[in-house]
Amino acid sequence: MYGVSLVSRGDMVMMDGPEEAINTASELLEAVIDRIRQDPGMTEEDVRALFRQDLRTSLQAEESAAGEGFGARGVRTYKSTVRARTGGQLAYLESVSRNDIVFVIGPAGTGKTYLAVAAAVSALKQKKVSRIVLARPAVEAGENLGFLPGALEDKVDPYLRPLYDALQELLEPDRLVRFQAMKVVEVAPLAFMRGRTLNDAFIILDEAQNTTPAQMKMFLTRLGAGSKAVVTGDITQTDLPANRPSGLVDVRTVLRGVSGLDFVYLSERDVVRNPLVQRIVRAYEKHDDELQKGNGAESAREGSAG
C-alpha cells in the first residue's frame, strides 16, 4: 500500500523503501499499535480497516471527539465497546455528540444504523437520556401488511428487525427484555410517532429515504426537551413510488442553514462489511454516473434538434 517492505525481528520491525514512504508507514504503524494497546480486543479485520483508511485524518477526528466520550476507546454500551473504524464514522460520532439532530446519508454497509443505536445505548447508560425510541417507515403498510398473518406487532416486525438486531448486539438479552417492558427502549413504525412529544429521549429514524416530506416533518417535530435525534438513510435506495419525493432528499434543501443540526455524508470508503460490498457500491456509483451523463447528452441532442 505504501511501497514499504516489513521484516519482523523479535519485538522489532525493520522497514525498507523510500524515506518518505517509510516515515508515513512508521507513523501509521505506531498509530495502529497504540490503538491495539488501548483495546486488545481488536480483531484482524479492525486492523485491516484502519490501514484501509487515512489514519492521519482519523486520528485528528478522534482527538476532537475524545472529549465527548467518543474516539480511540469507542462508544461504551452495556455489552461491549463499539469503535468507529473509518474517518467518516469518527466524524459521524463527533457530529452526534455536538448536535441535537444529525442526518447521516450513505450507502449500505457504512454502519449508519449500528452506530446510531450504539450512541443511543451509550447515552442511556450514561443517563444522558431516559429512553430510546427507534422508528422505521413501513413503506408497504397501506395494503400489503393487512394480508400478513398475526397481530399488528407480527406484521410490522419484519420492517423493524434490523433495529432489534443492533439492540441485541449492544444489550444483554434480559436487560433488553426488561427495558422494552418498561418502555425504556421502544421500537415502532414511524406512523406510531404522530401526535407524540418525546422528551429526554434519544430518537432514531432509520431508512429515512422511504419517508415522504410530510412524514419527515412529522418526525422532526416530535423532538422534545433534552432529546437528540439521528436520521439515517441511503438516498440511492428509495422504495417509494416513482412519483413520490423522498423526505430525506427534500430535507437537505428545507433545513439548509438551520443551526443545531448537521448532515454527515458517508461514502464507499466507509463501508465496513465484506470488502466486496465496497467494490459493489463503487460499481453502482460508476454506473449511475454513466447513466446521468448519457441522459444529459441525449437531452442536449434533443434540444439542438428542436
Side-chain angles (χ1 to χ4, degrees):
M1 183 184 298
Y2 301 103
V4 173
S5 60
L6 303 178
V7 178
S8 176
R9 293 282 187 270
D11 60 353
M12 297 180 63
V13 175
M14 301 178 66
M15 298 187 182
D16 184 33
E19 182 179 356
E20 185 177 347
I22 288 177
N23 291 337
T24 301
S26 298
E27 183 182 332
L28 297 182
L29 185 59
E30 287 173 5
V32 171
I33 291 171
D34 286 342
R35 290 284 292 271
I36 294 172
R37 283 173 177 160
Q38 292 165 356
D39 186 2
M42 288 184 69
T43 65
E44 181 179 345
E45 180 53 36
D46 291 333
V47 175
R48 289 180 184 277
L50 287 175
F51 276 111
R52 285 198 295 266
Q53 304 303 317
D54 182 349
L55 274 185
R56 285 167 296 185
T57 301
S58 298
L59 291 172
Q60 289 172 1
E62 283 186 1
E63 289 172 2
S64 58
E68 297 291 339
F70 302 119
R73 296 184 181 276
V75 179
R76 299 175 186 86
T77 69
Y78 289 94
K79 197 172 177 181
S80 62
T81 296
V82 177
R83 297 174 299 276
R85 292 166 58 181
T86 73
Q89 289 186 346
L90 282 166
Y92 171 11
L93 291 180
E94 182 186 25
S95 181
V96 171
S97 72
R98 290 187 288 101
N99 296 281
D100 288 338
I101 300 177
V102 177
F103 298 86
V104 189
I105 300 171
T110 50
K112 300 183 301 294
T113 302
Y114 188 76
L115 285 178
V117 176
V121 172
S122 178
L124 182 66
K125 185 176 187 293
Q126 297 175 60
K127 297 184 171 23
K128 292 181 177 179
V129 297
S130 61
R131 57 177 167 161
I132 298 172
V133 179
L134 306 99
R136 248 188 173 213
V139 292
E140 297 177 338
E143 295 179 333
N144 296 347
L145 285 180
F147 295 97
L148 294 175
L152 179 61
E153 290 76 10
D154 300 315
K155 295 180 181 186
V156 299
D157 185 73
Y159 294 95
L160 306 176
R161 179 49 48 192
L163 297 175
Y164 284 115
D165 290 343
L167 285 169
Q168 287 165 355
E169 284 195 40
L170 301 168
L171 287 166
E172 304 92 335
D174 2 348
R175 192 190 299 270
L176 177 56
V177 170
R178 187 168 71 253
F179 279 177
Q180 287 188 276
M182 298 166 60
K183 299 298 183 186
V184 172
V185 173
E186 179 183 352
V187 184
L190 176 60
F192 286 19
M193 296 296 104
R194 189 173 299 280
R196 302 177 64 181
T197 300
L198 301 173
N199 297 314
D200 196 28
F202 197 118
I203 315 157
I204 298 172
L205 173 58
D206 193 36
E207 295 291 334
Q209 75 274 6
N210 290 328
T211 63
T212 64
Q215 288 173 324
M216 179 64 75
K217 179 183 177 182
M218 180 272 289
F219 172 80
L220 294 175
T221 52
R222 301 308 95 203
L223 202 67
S227 290
K228 185 183 289 285
V230 175
V231 179
T232 72
D234 178 1
I235 57 177
T236 69
Q237 297 195 49
T238 301
D239 297 321
L240 293 170
N243 61 341
R244 300 185 73 184
S246 166
L248 187 58
V249 173
D250 180 72
V251 77
R252 296 185 301 171
T253 302
V254 175
L255 298 184
R256 186 186 295 126
V258 175
S259 61
L261 56 84
D262 190 24
F263 288 86
V264 175
Y265 293 89
L266 302 177
S267 70
E268 51 90 11
R269 285 176 54 86
D270 299 299
V271 172
V272 293
R273 291 181 186 168
N274 187 313
L276 179 59
V277 175
Q278 198 171 48
R279 296 196 291 273
I280 290 171
V281 171
R282 192 180 300 124
Y284 270 99
E285 288 177 348
K286 181 180 178 183
H287 178 68
D288 290 342
D289 288 343
E290 290 172 351
L291 281 179
Q292 288 177 4
K293 288 177 183 175
N295 291 338
E298 184 67 27
S299 298
R301 281 196 296 270
E302 291 176 358
S304 35

